[in-house]
Amino acid sequence: MFVKAEKVSKIYRLGKNETRALNEVSFELERGKIYTVIGPSGSGKTTLFNILGGLDRAEEGKIFVDNKEITSMDQKRLADYRRDYVGFVFQFYNLINGLTVYENVLASAALSENPLDVDMVLKMMDVYSERDKFPFELSGGQQQRVAIARAVVKNPVLILCDEPTGALDYESSKLVLKLLEDVNRQFGTTILIITHNLAISRMADATLRLRSGRLVEFSENPQKISAQEVTW
Amino acid sequence: MVIKKIPLRTIKRDFLQFFSIIMLVAIASMTYTLFAVSMEDIDRNYEMFKRDYVQEDGYFITSKEVDESLLKDKFEIDLEERLFYETQQNGITLRIFSISDKINKPYIGVGKMPEEGEILLDPSFFKAHQYQTNDEITISGQKFKVSGIGYLPDYIYIIKNDQDLLPDPEYFGVVMMLKSDVQKLFPAPRVHYYSYKGKVDNIEDFKGFINSNWGLLKFVERDQNPRIIYTEMKVENAKRITLPISLFIIIVSSFILFIVMRRVINTMHAEIGTLYSMGYTQKDVFKVFMRFPLYIWLFGSIIGILLGYFGAYPFAEFYRSFFTLPKLTSFFPWQHVFVALLLPAIFIFLSGYFALRNFFKLTIVQVLHGIDEIKFGKLPTIKFFDRFEFKTRIMLKYGWRHFARELILIVGIIFSTILMMYGMTAKDSIIVAIEKAYNDNFRYNYLYMLNSTTEHPEINLQSSAEPYNLLAFDVEGTKASIMIYGIKSNSDMIKLYDEKGKEISVSDQLIISKPFANKLGIDEGDEIKIKNKFTGQEYTLKVYKVADLPVGNNGYMELESFNRLFGYDSGEYVGIFSKEKIDIPESSVFESYTKSELLTTIKASAEDLSKTIGVMALIAAILALLIVYVLSTLTINENKKNIGILKMLGYKENSIFKMVLGFNYISFLVGFITGIPLSKLTMDSFMNAATKDIDFAMSLDLSINSVLSTFIILLVVFLLSRFLVRAKIAKVMPVEILRQQVD
Ligand SMILES: Nc1ncnc2c1ncn2[C@@H]1O[C@H](COP(=O)(O)OP(=O)(O)OP(=O)(O)O)[C@@H](O)[C@H]1O
Ligand SMILES: [Mg+2]
């Protein structure tokens, strides 16, 4: 099994109050598939994203990725894990303002042992013509495509996306989804997409549904459709 | 690593702010380099001059010729007679010395050693009268050729009389010529002038021996010779100011940098978090973000050192010509350059390091959210503020939130105030106070110092002239000395006033000048123990009054009481104060000068002095400008979102400005008001430290004028920097709210 989560809990303590942002969540993910995570606001989606990506720590439970337990790694090994395994796509892009489009992607490629060609990825994401611009000169959709390029270029096995279409219009959203699907098909990358948009789950192999920190449903999707066909 | 490009790009994007920080560092290194290098240059050259051209350990004047070998052997010193004579022509006094072989040898700055019929001129006189080498000059009817400029080790502060405060090269010059030429001009010397070199164990024995054998007229030890120690004092003073000022500037700029670094990192939290998420390690991020302090330090200190270094030589040259010190050699003061590089580096890197370390304590998720939202999510809710009107409340809350920043602003304003007050007061005290003294206290126009203390039957004193008597004493237990004058009661020439401006009349008791009282730390009613400089006889006198004179180690008594106390006969005197020029046989006069000479001098030197003061005031003003600007820009950049919201709500720029930066006014006032007593305090300690071991006293008082001018200059600077900052507020568009959320 590629990703395996066993009774993962994340607890926030504020004074006496205790919030279980994740409560004994267990699941397994297969390599090369597309997953979506859905659930109401505050249900723990971003928390799961952070912990899976090694950006934050769980209080309880274990997570294995490629048979390595990431929940027991120290800071340095976690950094290696992020570098070698994971690409992130955030809702608000998080591009680096001081670097051009090309350099943003290069900054990511430079860390990888077998990166893809930067210009090839830029072309694939249809932002090649913007390669020498700075992020603030781009539209939201363009910025998100650069962010995906940045995640893809280092050729990771896992791409995590937190509401990648949350700030985009319909057309831009569909383009982003199509590109994520292309990456999955072309490179066999496992992709996990957090979304509010139920329609998006139709392009996934399976969907995780969270409520109040608990995993209430894990449903396979036998009638998977292509990103192109997804509408809402 | 491509991410190395981030810092430079960020600096370019927010250029004005980084530029002002860099300038802050530059000013810190520049001030240090400027002062340290120029002082070192002056110092080293002076030490070399003293040693190689054999500065005397003292000189004395006798009425009879001294048996040189007897004196040399008895006291184990080196001794050399120097022929001297003084002439006056066209109102100009020339003091002529023979060129000596062993002690006080002239250093030839320009031209060559004179031969027969040739002379050297002192550098100030040479310059003031625009002489060229080979010019002709007539002295006592005889023509001489100017062979060059000569610096004498015992005439570095070229004043005519011992009590003069400022040199006056327009009207006074020193001429050096061959002994044979002096003899030709003035065949029969009336007095004999000797310089000695060597340590005399018992100076009283030495003086007593000379006096009993050859009649001692004057004896001045090196440490009491104003022509030497005034310069040394000023150099010392300048050195004492250097380190504290440059240290303080560096510390202030480092604190500002500390805050700025934090902000820079805070605003880039999303980017740092993203770098982490991509797999960059803390070390990578550290290496990239330490480039901010690196660039600031590198650009700042290199600009500063270059400015300071190239400024130092003209600066040293300016001081040297002011003190008439020669330049014998050039050197590279690597140790100062090293300090100017290292000192800011320590502070800047430390503050950068701490700012970053602070950030590393957070988890990546926290970094992505930003430290601001964690620490300053809301303006503080302090009940106390709620009683005020909305705008005032917001203003107070901002002040409270940026407490550390306001504190630095206060410290910066205090410092600028002190710096500027120092300059202003120096001008006030030296120029204005002396002028005032000569108008209010010293009302004579001519002063004649005679050769001997007798009844002087040969002189017919008019009603516009008054006799005085004078003795110099050492003060027991200190290195200070005092000149006690015996003057006529109800004198029209010397008027003494107490602190409140009430006139003090002289009696049989001692009145001393205020700076002298300050220096010794004594007050009315205290006793001082003094020792006659010539005879060594001791007296214990009670201080009856302290007179408000701006300068001088002076004491005053009534003339007849003076004569009785110190063993003179009634009617004897040694000098004359006069309103008009009087006819006195030339052979009786030892020294003379006119008040107008002195006042012209003061005016001439005011210009020179104001240059130094200008440099200080300029540094103070720039510093204040940078501090206010950097801190305010910081506040605005950090609060763009809030400013955007306020604008969207419909608040006018004016009100927003008041809310966000209104607290600065309070800090400015607090800084200025605290700065005034602190200025007085630091100036007094500077002055005391500077004059501790030497025979000079001067009191510094803050005048209303200097306080006001300082306030006005600082206020203008303050308003100017706020005006510049205001433009930034105008630029913040309500759309910033959206933009910030996208970050
Ligand atoms: N730093 C924090 N401190 C305390 N509680 C937190 C923190 N971050 C998240 N929480 C809480 O944890 C729970 C899960 O938050 P999470 O961000 O994972 O929700 P989400 O499903 O991503 O919601 P949304 O769809 O709105 O993004 C929430 O109840 C939230 O209030
Ligand atoms: Mg979320």
Side-chain angles (χ1 to χ4, degrees):
Chain A
M1 202 43 60
F2 178 55
V3 176
K4 192 172 171 203
E6 289 176 354
K7 296 196 168 183
V8 175
S9 296
K10 173 75 189 175
I11 303 157
Y12 289 112
R13 289 192 181 82
L14 275 173
K16 274 190 197 159
N17 290 349
E18 204 181 90
T19 311
R20 286 200 165 243
L22 285 181
N23 198 351
E24 302 197 341
V25 172
S26 306
F27 57 86
E28 293 182 350
L29 306 181
E30 285 172 53
R31 190 187 276 269
K33 297 210 164 161
I34 297 179
Y35 295 90
T36 52
V37 181
I38 56 172
S41 183
S43 57
K45 303 184 295 290
T46 299
T47 308
L48 181 64
F49 169 94
N50 289 339
I51 291 174
L52 266 184
L55 300 177
D56 208 350
R57 286 183 179 285
E59 267 72 24
E60 293 163 12
K62 290 177 181 175
I63 295 176
F64 298 88
V65 176
D66 220 8
N67 295 322
K68 289 187 197 73
E69 187 190 344
I70 64 163
T71 33
S72 64
M73 288 180 177
D74 61 14
Q75 280 299 333
K76 212 186 139 351
R77 295 194 40 225
L78 267 183
D80 291 344
Y81 163 70
R82 291 192 300 267
R83 185 189 65 200
D84 298 336
Y85 283 78
V86 197
F88 295 90
V89 178
F90 300 93
Q91 180 177 0
F92 295 117
Y93 332 128
N94 285 357
L95 297 179
I96 292 170
N97 283 321
L99 301 179
T100 62
V101 164
Y102 177 81
E103 288 164 348
N104 261 284
V105 179
L106 181 65
S108 174
L111 284 171
S112 175
E113 279 182 2
N114 54 339
L116 306 176
D117 179 64
V118 174
D119 283 335
M120 186 273 280
V121 176
L122 287 177
K123 279 177 191 150
M124 181 175 168
M125 296 298 145
D126 199 20
V127 282
Y128 183 74
S129 51
E130 326 296 330
R131 93 195 266 286
D132 294 320
K133 287 190 180 166
F134 285 96
F136 58 88
E137 297 172 297
L138 303 183
S139 76
Q142 288 170 327
Q143 289 192 52
Q144 193 61 300
R145 277 179 276 145
V146 175
I148 295 172
R150 186 178 64 185
V152 167
V153 74
K154 61 183 184 177
N155 202 4
V157 285
L158 179 63
I159 290 183
L160 300 175
C161 312
D162 192 355
E163 315 239 9
T165 60
L168 302 180
D169 63 33
Y170 181 75
E171 290 303 326
S172 310
S173 298
K174 285 204 51 162
L175 183 54
V176 163
L177 292 174
K178 183 195 163 295
L179 291 171
L180 285 172
E181 193 182 57
D182 288 350
V183 169
N184 168 263
R185 285 194 186 149
Q186 207 166 328
F187 307 110
T189 319
T190 309
I191 296 182
L192 188 115
I193 303 169
I194 291 174
T195 179
H196 270 117
N197 191 341
L198 282 172
I200 295 176
S201 353
R202 298 181 61 206
M203 63 175 276
D205 293 293
T207 296
L208 293 77
R209 186 188 292 271
L210 290 175
R211 187 178 299 142
S212 305
R214 288 185 179 276
L215 180 65
V216 293
E217 189 187 332
F218 185 100
S219 54
E220 308 259 347
N221 179 14
Q223 286 117 20
K224 180 178 159 187
I225 56 172
S226 74
Q228 211 77 51
E229 295 167 293
V230 174
T231 50
W232 61 88
Chain B
M1 265 200 303
V2 61
I3 56 174
K4 279 182 189 159
K5 290 182 181 170
I6 296 171
L8 263 189
R9 296 251 177 93
T10 310
I11 289 174
K12 254 193 233 158
R13 207 175 47 192
D14 213 344
F15 182 73
L16 258 185
Q17 173 167 332
F18 282 100
F19 180 74
S20 34
I21 302 163
I22 288 170
M23 283 327 284
L24 216 58
V25 179
I27 284 195
S29 325
M30 187 202 76
T31 320
Y32 181 83
T33 316
L34 181 70
F35 282 111
V37 171
S38 53
M39 291 309 138
E40 176 90 15
D41 188 60
I42 289 175
D43 232 25
R44 277 215 210 174
N45 277 290
Y46 177 50
E47 285 305 322
M48 201 178 225
F49 179 47
K50 250 163 78 168
R51 191 187 60 224
D52 295 353
Y53 293 83
V54 197
Q55 188 181 66
E56 66 183 21
D57 283 320
Y59 73 89
F60 53 87
I61 298 172
T62 53
S63 48
K64 281 182 259 164
E65 191 172 348
V66 164
D67 180 345
E68 287 189 35
S69 54
L70 175 69
L71 203 58
K72 273 191 210 172
D73 292 345
K74 188 165 162 61
F75 292 93
E76 294 177 339
I77 49 162
D78 210 355
L79 191 70
E80 187 172 15
E81 175 165 16
R82 196 188 209 185
L83 302 181
F84 96 107
Y85 202 82
E86 220 166 88
T87 69
Q88 284 182 353
Q89 41 200 47
N90 315 321
I92 297 171
T93 304
L94 291 178
R95 189 163 296 164
I96 296 151
F97 286 114
S98 62
I99 292 171
S100 38
D101 303 322
K102 290 184 295 186
I103 303 172
N104 297 329
K105 296 187 284 187
Y107 167 78
I108 314 288
V110 170
K112 60 172 190 60
M113 204 61 157
E115 289 162 21
E116 207 180 321
E118 293 181 335
I119 56 163
L120 290 171
L121 292 175
D122 85 60
S124 311
F125 188 78
F126 186 91
K127 206 171 111 195
H129 295 266
Q130 298 172 334
Y131 279 113
Q132 306 280 326
T133 42
N134 296 329
D135 276 359
E136 289 221 324
I137 178 170
T138 307
I139 299 173
S140 287
Q142 202 152 328
K143 281 205 168 79
F144 287 92
K145 201 166 89 179
V146 177
S147 79
I149 294 176
Y151 293 82
L152 285 175
D154 64 329
Y155 260 78
I156 49 182
Y157 196 70
I158 307 179
I159 47 177
K160 184 175 156 197
N161 304 295
D162 292 353
Q163 59 269 48
D164 288 355
L165 281 158
L166 295 161
D168 185 9
E170 285 293 333
Y171 294 100
F172 176 71
V174 174
V175 177
M176 290 144 265
M177 60 173 78
L178 296 181
K179 213 166 196 160
S180 52
D181 277 339
V182 184
Q183 277 161 340
K184 259 185 244 158
L185 272 180
F186 315 106
R190 285 172 299 138
V191 292
H192 298 270
Y193 184 119
Y194 297 90
S195 306
Y196 71 88
K197 180 86 195 164
K199 204 173 140 22
V200 180
D201 291 331
N202 190 333
I203 211 92
E204 295 311 326
D205 280 359
F206 186 50
K207 284 193 227 172
F209 186 75
I210 298 169
N211 192 28
S212 56
N213 286 304
W214 304 291
L216 186 60
L217 294 174
K218 185 169 184 176
F219 188 98
V220 177
E221 283 176 75
R222 195 206 89 94
D223 288 347
Q224 286 169 346
N225 186 347
R227 294 181 179 94
I228 296 171
I229 59 155
Y230 273 23
T231 295
E232 291 183 352
M233 182 189 80
K234 293 199 177 196
V235 172
E236 195 55 33
N237 219 351
K239 281 201 291 191
R240 257 177 239 267
I241 299 170
T242 314
L243 204 63
I245 287 183
S246 38
L247 264 181
F248 198 97
I249 293 179
I250 284 171
I251 290 170
V252 169
S253 36
S254 305
F255 271 116
I256 293 174
L257 194 76
F258 186 87
I259 288 174
V260 172
M261 280 304 301
R262 248 177 58 177
R263 185 199 78 86
V264 167
I265 291 164
N266 289 355
T267 55
M268 297 186 72
H269 63 87
E271 283 151 328
I272 292 179
T274 310
L275 287 179
Y276 276 155
S277 73
M278 285 159 71
Y280 282 98
T281 58
Q282 281 192 358
K283 212 171 126 193
D284 297 331
V285 171
F286 191 77
K287 273 196 219 149
V288 170
F289 282 81
M290 278 307 273
R291 280 169 185 252
F292 281 102
L294 177 74
Y295 293 144
I296 287 170
W297 167 70
L298 209 63
F299 294 149
S301 56
I302 286 176
I303 292 173
I305 286 169
L306 286 181
L307 284 177
Y309 190 72
F310 289 111
Y313 290 99
F315 197 70
E317 222 33 70
F318 165 70
Y319 264 98
R320 244 197 293 273
S321 73
F322 193 48
F323 302 140
T324 51
L325 288 173
K327 184 171 176 73
L328 277 67
T329 179
S330 287
F331 63 96
F332 184 77
W334 57 270
Q335 74 273 32
H336 293 307
V337 171
F338 188 68
V339 170
L341 277 173
L342 197 72
L343 227 56
I346 292 173
F347 283 108
I348 291 172
F349 285 118
L350 265 188
S351 63
Y353 171 77
F354 282 127
L356 275 171
R357 209 188 54 167
N358 225 1
F359 221 70
F360 289 153
K361 287 185 201 144
L362 305 176
T363 69
I364 298 167
V365 176
Q366 283 173 320
V367 175
L368 276 167
H369 276 281
I371 213 168
D372 276 347
E373 273 157 49
I374 295 159
K375 280 200 176 163
F376 299 123
K378 284 174 246 146
L379 286 178
T381 46
I382 293 178
K383 279 259 158 56
F384 171 78
F385 293 140
D386 292 345
R387 67 186 70 185
F388 299 101
E389 180 223 350
F390 177 71
K391 282 183 206 164
T392 316
R393 199 188 318 159
I394 298 284
M395 177 194 100
L396 289 175
K397 283 184 174 184
Y398 271 108
W400 179 256
R401 171 169 159 181
H402 301 304
F403 186 70
R405 204 169 295 166
E406 297 294 334
L407 213 62
I408 286 180
L409 184 67
I410 291 176
V411 172
I413 297 290
I414 289 178
F415 184 64
S416 303
T417 307
I418 292 176
L419 215 58
M420 213 172 275
M421 290 291 283
Y422 198 82
M424 296 277 174
T425 308
K427 189 172 174 174
D428 260 22
S429 307
I430 295 168
I431 317 283
V432 179
I434 291 173
E435 270 191 341
K436 188 174 158 287
Y438 277 90
N439 285 328
D440 297 353
N441 302 106
F442 308 139
R443 301 203 173 173
Y444 52 85
N445 292 322
Y446 295 87
L447 180 144
Y448 299 90
M449 179 101 185
L450 306 173
N451 269 338
S452 57
T453 309
T454 65
E455 289 174 25
H456 296 287
E458 78 280 12
I459 299 167
N460 180 19
L461 283 183
Q462 305 293 320
S463 59
S464 60
E466 286 177 14
Y468 71 86
N469 214 342
L470 174 65
L471 269 177
F473 298 89
D474 289 320
V475 181
E476 296 271 287
T478 70
K479 281 198 174 176
S481 66
I482 181 170
M483 310 276 279
I484 299 183
Y485 287 83
I487 59 174
K488 268 181 66 178
S489 53
N490 299 320
S491 168
D492 287 328
M493 305 297 171
I494 306 278
K495 295 275 185 202
L496 301 172
Y497 302 96
D498 66 12
E499 201 90 43
K500 295 184 196 87
K502 219 179 115 234
E503 192 168 345
I504 309 171
S505 50
V506 289
S507 64
D508 59 346
Q509 286 180 298
L510 181 66
I511 301 166
I512 62 172
S513 61
K514 194 168 113 188
F516 187 65
N518 286 349
K519 183 180 167 128
L520 294 185
I522 54 174
D523 215 334
E524 292 173 5
D526 291 346
E527 285 188 339
I528 54 171
K529 212 168 164 194
I530 56 176
K531 190 160 89 177
N532 187 316
K533 278 205 183 202
F534 295 91
T535 62
Q537 192 160 352
E538 294 187 2
Y539 304 87
T540 301
L541 295 181
K542 195 166 135 187
V543 175
Y544 164 63
K545 285 273 186 213
V546 173
D548 192 10
L549 287 169
V551 286
N553 298 353
N554 296 353
Y556 296 93
M557 292 174 80
E558 194 275 320
L559 178 58
E560 285 307 314
S561 316
F562 177 98
N563 284 352
R564 263 196 308 281
L565 180 64
F566 297 118
Y568 292 104
D569 288 338
S570 171
E572 290 188 328
Y573 62 94
V574 74
I576 300 164
F577 300 126
S578 176
K579 297 259 191 207
E580 284 150 26
K581 196 172 166 70
I582 45 181
D583 247 355
I584 304 175
E586 211 179 311
S587 59
S588 306
V589 180
F590 182 62
E591 283 175 345
S592 75
Y593 75 104
T594 69
K595 189 156 104 180
S596 56
E597 271 175 32
L598 186 90
L599 290 179
T600 326
T601 308
I602 292 168
K603 290 209 178 85
S605 314
E607 213 173 295
D608 281 350
L609 247 154
S610 59
K611 271 187 209 164
T612 325
I613 290 158
V615 169
M616 264 203 196
L618 193 71
I619 291 177
I622 293 176
L623 197 72
L625 186 78
L626 287 176
I627 290 173
V628 176
Y629 181 79
V630 169
L631 293 178
S632 320
T633 315
L634 205 58
T635 309
I636 289 189
N637 279 348
E638 265 184 10
N639 292 292
K640 266 192 182 155
K641 199 164 157 186
N642 292 332
I643 293 169
I645 292 172
L646 289 170
K647 276 198 172 179
M648 190 190 66
L649 290 176
Y651 279 97
K652 297 250 163 57
E653 255 173 52
N654 247 338
S655 325
I656 297 174
F657 196 60
K658 193 194 154 206
M659 284 188 261
V660 179
L661 289 170
F663 203 82
N664 282 0
Y665 278 112
I666 298 174
S667 305
F668 174 77
L669 280 180
V670 169
F672 180 72
I673 291 167
T674 323
I676 294 169
L678 282 181
S679 310
K680 171 79 178 149
L681 221 69
T682 48
M683 278 188 286
D684 283 349
S685 55
F686 269 143
M687 207 61 204
N688 282 343
T691 61
K692 199 169 135 231
D693 297 327
I694 50 174
D695 193 15
F696 176 84
M698 178 167 135
S699 73
L700 290 174
D701 283 312
L702 307 183
S703 69
I704 296 287
N705 252 343
S706 52
V707 172
L708 272 182
S709 339
T710 305
F711 182 73
I712 289 168
I713 293 175
L714 285 182
L715 188 68
V716 166
V717 165
F718 179 71
L719 293 178
L720 176 69
S721 52
R722 286 173 68 87
F723 175 78
L724 292 174
V725 169
R726 231 189 137 105
K728 286 209 139 200
I729 286 219
K731 270 199 229 147
V732 177
M733 298 306 283
V735 73
E736 290 292 339
I737 323 164
L738 305 173
R739 215 171 265 158
Q740 289 269 320
Q741 270 162 8
V742 170
D743 244 2

